[in-house]
Amino acid sequence: MTLNATLKHSATALALALGLYSALPQPALAAATEQFFPLATYRVGAYASSGIPVWAGMIDYLRYINEVEGGINGVKLVWQECETEWTAEKGIECYERFKHGLEGAPVAVYQPNGAPAAYALGDKAAADRIPLITLGYGRTEATDGSVFPYNFPAMLTFYSEASAFINYVAEREGGLDKLKGKKIATVYHDSAYGRETQAPLRLLAEKYGFENIQIPVADPGNEQASQWRQVRQLKPDWVFLRTWGVSTPVAIKTAARFGYPVDHIIGDIWASSNEDVLPAGEMGKGYLALTPYPGGASFDIHQRIKQHILDQGKSDLKDPKSFGSVYYNSGLVNAAIAVEAIRAGQKKFGNRPLNGEEGRWGLEHLNLDDARLKEIGFLGLMQPLKLSCDDHEGGGAAKVQQWDGKQWNLITDWVQADRQTLRPLIDAKSAEYAKEKGVQARKCAVEQ
Amino acid sequence: MTTTTARLTASFDDAPLTLVRRRWPLGLALLLLVAFVALPLLGDDYWLNAILIPFLVLSLAGLGLNLLTGYTGQTSVGAAGFMAVGAFATYGLLLRVPGIPLPLALVGGGLIAAFLGMLFGIPSARIKGFYLMVTTLAAQFFIEWVFAKFPWFYNYASSGTISAPRLELFGYSLASPVGRYLLTLSCVVLLTWVAVNLVRSQTGRNWMAIRDMDTAAAVIGIPVDRYKRLAFAVSSFYLGIAGALWAFAYLGTASAGSFDINRSFQILFIIIIGGMGSIAGNFVGAAFISLMPIFLNHAGQWLFGGNVDAGQLQNLQKILFGTLIIVFLIKEPEGLVRLVGNLRDRLRTWPLRF
């Protein structure tokens, strides 16, 4: 009797499940004539709230390319997600799952979307000949493409970020010569990420004669009274805030409590989103931040996406208020670089899906000038970017935006980093890496 | 008297004790054959890199912690800390000692971890249970802090990460997925073999006596403090090697953040779910903890990919995974290995009850 009942229930449940499953529309399958675009996402875990708008931006842009422009020169994009939870292990799992493409559609470029995964995949991707794009994170020394052929820390490394920060401060102070004797403090998250700007700032302090003060904040940084008491005692002219996650709003609030003017704090890339300042409320008014992908929905591309994707109800965005947020825009910029790299590669290899090696050729010949940026609708949102074998970073500029309590307002044009000054540091690091790993540097002059 | 004694049956007379000659373990041999020969031949990069290597390394780490927690009864939440010591020490040895072969560097890293483990095991002479757990927690945070704070440990890399130096053994490169898999497998098989014999030896019996009741163990003459420290040292040796393999054979890179408190908890969960005080339990537990989420992910992608919101799907997998852990622990608090054992006993007599 009971057995019968259980059996019956199970059978009903199975039938229901099967019925439900067959009623669902089946996802489109990839084909060898399409370009596979793997999406290593993090929708769960500690950083999910920043990730979700990024994927929305990426997917909306890919959808726009597919549906409005008919793909990249006719080659349609197909994408699939894989959850990394921002960890190295899951990041490796996703990469290994995706590296051979999807049902014949090859991978041209891979975005690990997370520092731990980016570091773990460095060697593996080089062995598999798949280029990694790490925008705003990853190995700084990978700028030297002769030692890191498949690593692209495109647009803005942490070294350039530090230099752009100093150049902006100089602009505000009235020239680089005015930096002498100024006190510039860096309040940083005490981690690999936070310490990354120490070397460039040391070099720039020697060059320009400002006092370089480094104040660490231990992870997670939800109590910073002692750090800001120290700031108040030292009275620096400017504070470079290199925190992330919860430590950013706490820093802004604590600074306000100790009476340090918020409009003299400049946040870095990872302290420059809406989510970073909103919790600080009124106290965040006037806060400055550097960013390679400014917030705002008034760029040309936003109007196109709004018309064709958002208003058609095809957007991946859950919360329409996030349209044009810093993270959403970072998704757009990330996707655009990959799409443009494939387009550049197609010029040499023909209008077909590209593999990793061809994708790298495309990246190394990527040249997005203002005219091209205007064409694709990214003028103002994205800086001119020219990559080469010798230079995997390109750009090296950031805009400064200011929070007015409701939204970010851009207060500068692109502030360029002094990349020539920093390049010897990068070359020394990459040479050291080459020696440690026994990497034979390629000859960029010959390859070009 | 003797005349009235009933004669026992002949077989009892001949053999008062049934001695079973141990047969060559056919199943084990087959398993090793599959692991060493079939898998490297058949497995692709995905299987080796993303599934087998992490599974083996986590099993080894579980084994290390199980020697301390499951066999000696000293709870530790500092497992990942000792893994970090092993990884950074191996890296340091390979980098700074010219010409040191990889196996020696691994052993060296393990020994350094063992020494540190013994150091942090000293308080176990005076404190027990939750209080001891707090000292291991301190070890975890202290070690993590040291490897983040002092750039010497990571050779002044700008990002604080160490990356695998050339993996070579007698001139052969082990950098390919198959090479790294075989390196990991050899280490795991060797160390598991040692562990199996260790827990059967005098040392292992002393550990278990301490676990069951340390006062009684002291009364029968076991030097309790020494054996506790030994357990910390051996456990940390295993964890150290696991850490080095995690960093170099699996991730290819590591920073202090790769060995944070969450990794410690992960290893603790492996032994709790797999089975405390069991060698096979570590493998079962590691398989569950590391492979189940991947399986769920594939299943979710296959069933619903593209139809259901990706974020919801991910969260659903988390919920399912958590539920499975709860169900298994309610069903069998002694771990999955016990569940497997019960199943085997049942199958032996199936379909009868006895």
Side-chain angles (χ1 to χ4, degrees):
Chain A
M1 167 66 200
T2 45
L3 184 73
N4 250 337
T6 325
L7 267 178
K8 234 184 209 166
H9 281 151
S10 314
T12 322
L14 194 69
L16 265 177
L18 281 175
L20 195 69
Y21 178 59
S22 53
L24 287 170
Q26 290 305 305
L29 296 176
T33 52
E34 293 175 317
Q35 181 76 57
F36 179 41
F37 205 97
L39 288 176
T41 59
Y42 41 96
R43 289 183 188 273
V44 295
Y47 310 113
S49 63
S50 34
I52 289 165
V54 179
W55 323 132
M58 280 188 155
I59 292 174
D60 284 1
Y61 188 70
L62 298 180
R63 225 168 246 164
Y64 165 80
I65 289 286
N66 262 1
E67 297 188 5
V68 181
E69 301 193 354
I72 309 173
N73 294 326
V75 178
K76 291 259 181 173
L77 297 166
V78 54
W79 58 91
Q80 197 178 67
E81 285 193 31
C82 178
E83 174 68 36
T84 67
E85 297 179 24
W86 210 82
T87 62
E89 304 92 88
K90 294 253 169 75
I92 290 178
E93 201 262 320
C94 290
Y95 168 80
E96 294 289 346
R97 193 190 293 187
F98 284 153
K99 74 177 183 190
H100 294 301
L102 184 74
E103 288 150 22
V107 180
V109 296
Y110 192 85
Q111 300 180 326
N113 298 327
Y119 280 103
L121 291 177
D123 294 345
K124 293 186 172 70
D128 296 327
R129 295 167 182 267
I130 294 174
L132 298 179
I133 305 177
T134 59
L135 201 156
Y137 61 96
R139 268 185 198 281
T140 299
E141 58 264 38
T143 301
D144 181 359
S146 64
V147 176
F148 296 89
Y150 285 92
N151 253 334
F152 290 82
M155 269 192 178
L156 191 66
T157 60
F158 290 130
Y159 278 31
S160 296
E161 178 192 87
S163 170
F165 160 73
I166 293 299
N167 287 349
Y168 174 67
V169 168
E171 204 178 297
R172 290 285 296 265
E173 294 287 349
L176 285 163
D177 52 318
K178 297 283 191 328
L179 286 174
K180 200 161 184 59
K182 289 276 182 296
K183 286 183 186 175
I184 297 176
T186 307
V187 175
Y188 66 95
H189 187 261
D190 199 5
S191 64
Y193 146 73
R195 281 190 292 265
E196 188 111 8
T197 49
Q198 286 180 344
L201 283 171
R202 201 179 308 127
L203 183 87
L204 294 168
E206 271 168 34
K207 184 170 177 184
Y208 298 122
F210 60 85
E211 193 183 336
N212 176 22
I213 304 162
Q214 298 281 330
I215 303 171
V217 174
D219 181 77
N222 41 19
E223 171 51 51
Q224 300 178 19
S226 69
Q227 282 87 358
W228 290 96
R229 191 171 293 122
Q230 199 182 343
V231 169
R232 191 178 58 176
Q233 281 164 1
L234 295 168
K235 294 195 183 64
D237 298 284
W238 294 90
V239 171
F240 190 19
L241 190 64
R242 298 203 63 245
T243 47
W244 77 330
V246 65
S247 52
T248 307
V250 171
I252 297 169
K253 276 195 267 190
T254 319
R257 194 149 58 83
F258 280 92
Y260 190 84
V262 173
D263 60 358
H264 276 65
I265 303 177
I266 304 178
D268 91 321
I269 307 179
W270 300 103
S272 68
S273 73
N274 304 32
E275 288 76 2
D276 287 319
V277 276
L278 279 172
E282 278 294 294
M283 293 173 186
K285 248 185 210 174
Y287 173 71
L288 299 161
L290 284 169
T291 175
Y293 29 71
S298 55
F299 301 101
D300 198 19
I301 186 68
H302 287 89
Q303 275 147 33
R304 299 188 203 172
I305 287 182
K306 189 167 173 7
Q307 185 195 341
H308 296 290
I309 304 290
L310 232 62
D311 291 349
Q312 313 287 323
K314 289 176 187 163
S315 173
D316 189 63
L317 211 53
K318 298 279 156 341
D319 178 8
K321 277 207 293 286
S322 295
F323 186 66
S325 73
V326 172
Y327 281 129
Y328 182 86
N329 288 0
S330 95
L332 292 180
V333 169
N334 264 297
I337 288 184
V339 165
E340 289 305 308
I342 293 167
R343 210 187 291 277
Q346 284 178 343
K347 277 196 193 129
K348 179 178 163 85
F349 301 105
N351 294 342
R352 59 170 175 82
L354 304 183
N355 65 23
E357 232 167 317
E358 293 158 348
R360 185 194 71 166
W361 192 93
L363 272 165
E364 288 191 342
H365 295 80
L366 184 68
N367 185 6
L368 298 172
D369 51 11
D370 278 343
R372 180 64 193 151
L373 286 174
K374 193 168 168 47
E375 230 174 310
I376 60 172
F378 278 78
L379 190 65
L381 177 60
M382 196 160 136
Q383 59 192 286
L385 189 70
K386 186 176 188 316
L387 302 180
S388 66
C389 165
D390 185 52
D391 179 12
H392 277 192
E393 182 190 3
K399 283 192 178 181
V400 180
Q401 54 184 8
Q402 189 163 31
W403 183 251
D404 67 1
K406 283 192 191 67
Q407 58 175 349
W408 291 106
N409 297 307
L410 286 174
I411 57 168
T412 67
D413 200 0
W414 297 108
V415 180
Q416 184 62 42
D418 179 6
R419 298 184 59 218
Q420 272 75 37
T421 307
L422 298 176
R423 187 64 200 235
L425 277 186
I426 292 172
D427 285 340
K429 289 261 181 212
S430 72
E432 203 174 308
Y433 177 89
K435 191 168 142 251
E436 193 183 312
K437 301 281 245 181
V439 177
Q440 195 71 40
R442 33 180 204 144
K443 301 265 179 295
C444 281
V446 180
E447 287 201 14
Q448 281 302 303
Chain B
M1 270 305 265
T2 44
T3 50
T4 53
T5 309
R7 256 185 73 82
L8 290 167
T9 52
S11 63
F12 264 108
D13 263 354
D14 293 341
L17 248 168
T18 12
L19 292 173
V20 181
R21 198 165 68 87
R22 280 177 13 95
R23 279 179 308 164
W24 173 248
L26 193 70
L28 187 67
L30 211 67
L31 190 71
L32 287 180
L33 200 71
V34 168
F36 273 102
V37 182
L39 284 176
L41 285 177
L42 299 175
D44 60 0
D45 283 7
Y46 177 73
W47 272 90
L48 295 176
N49 272 341
I51 297 199
L52 291 169
I53 295 178
F55 157 69
L56 284 172
V57 179
L58 284 176
S59 305
L60 186 64
L63 184 59
L65 186 64
N66 220 331
L67 290 178
L68 182 66
T69 304
Y71 283 95
T72 322
Q74 313 296 305
T75 319
S76 162
V77 286
F82 298 115
M83 285 173 78
V85 174
F88 279 84
T90 308
Y91 173 75
L93 287 171
L94 282 171
L95 188 75
R96 298 202 165 89
V97 182
I100 189 171
L102 183 66
L104 213 59
L106 273 178
V107 172
L111 285 177
I112 292 172
F115 175 72
L116 223 75
M118 204 186 66
L119 225 57
F120 280 102
I122 291 174
S124 68
R126 296 291 168 87
I127 48 182
K128 288 183 201 172
F130 283 117
Y131 301 95
L132 183 64
M133 211 162 98
V134 173
T135 67
T136 59
L137 192 68
Q140 165 73 43
F141 285 122
F142 174 72
I143 292 168
E144 218 181 303
W145 174 78
V146 164
F147 290 131
K149 187 77 188 172
F150 300 103
W152 183 79
F153 288 110
Y154 48 82
N155 198 22
Y156 306 95
S158 55
S159 47
T161 51
I162 55 175
S163 63
R166 276 158 293 182
L167 292 178
E168 278 176 355
L169 191 61
F170 311 123
Y172 290 103
S173 169
L174 295 176
S176 70
V178 174
R180 285 183 285 117
Y181 167 73
L182 287 177
L183 170 73
T184 312
L185 185 67
S186 312
C187 289
V188 171
V189 168
L190 195 72
L191 286 171
T192 307
W193 182 29
V194 171
V196 168
N197 289 339
L198 193 66
V199 296
R200 280 191 196 142
S201 70
Q202 173 82 50
T203 313
R205 288 200 301 277
N206 286 354
W207 281 347
M208 285 184 265
I210 293 168
R211 171 192 66 192
D212 292 342
M213 192 176 187
D214 57 352
T215 319
V219 167
I220 59 168
I222 295 169
V224 171
D225 297 352
R226 222 180 70 209
Y227 273 92
K228 279 184 182 173
R229 281 201 300 275
L230 183 68
F232 266 98
V234 173
S235 156
S236 303
F237 179 82
Y238 273 71
L239 286 164
I241 296 215
L245 291 173
W246 184 262
F248 304 134
Y250 174 40
L251 295 182
T253 168
S255 64
S258 326
F259 302 104
D260 61 356
I261 184 83
N262 291 324
R263 179 86 48 235
S264 285
F265 284 136
Q266 189 186 24
I267 293 159
L268 195 63
F269 293 156
I270 284 175
I271 69 168
I272 291 174
I273 291 167
M276 294 263 222
S278 146
I279 302 280
N282 303 308
F283 292 88
V284 181
F288 184 81
I289 290 278
S290 72
L291 306 186
M292 190 53 120
I294 296 178
F295 169 75
L296 287 177
N297 194 299
H298 276 284
Q301 188 72 44
W302 181 71
L303 281 173
F304 303 111
N307 296 318
V308 180
D309 173 66
Q312 307 283 15
L313 194 60
Q314 294 306 334
N315 285 314
L316 211 65
Q317 287 163 20
K318 288 253 152 189
I319 293 169
L320 199 61
F321 184 56
T323 316
L324 277 175
I325 291 179
I326 295 171
V327 168
F328 278 130
L329 283 183
I330 288 176
K331 197 100 177 117
E332 187 51 73
E334 285 176 46
L336 287 174
V337 73
R338 185 60 187 268
L339 211 62
V340 173
N342 289 349
L343 194 71
R344 199 183 54 203
D345 291 347
R346 279 290 288 282
L347 284 178
R348 232 173 231 163
T349 52
W350 188 84
L352 304 170
R353 292 294 288 183
F354 297 103

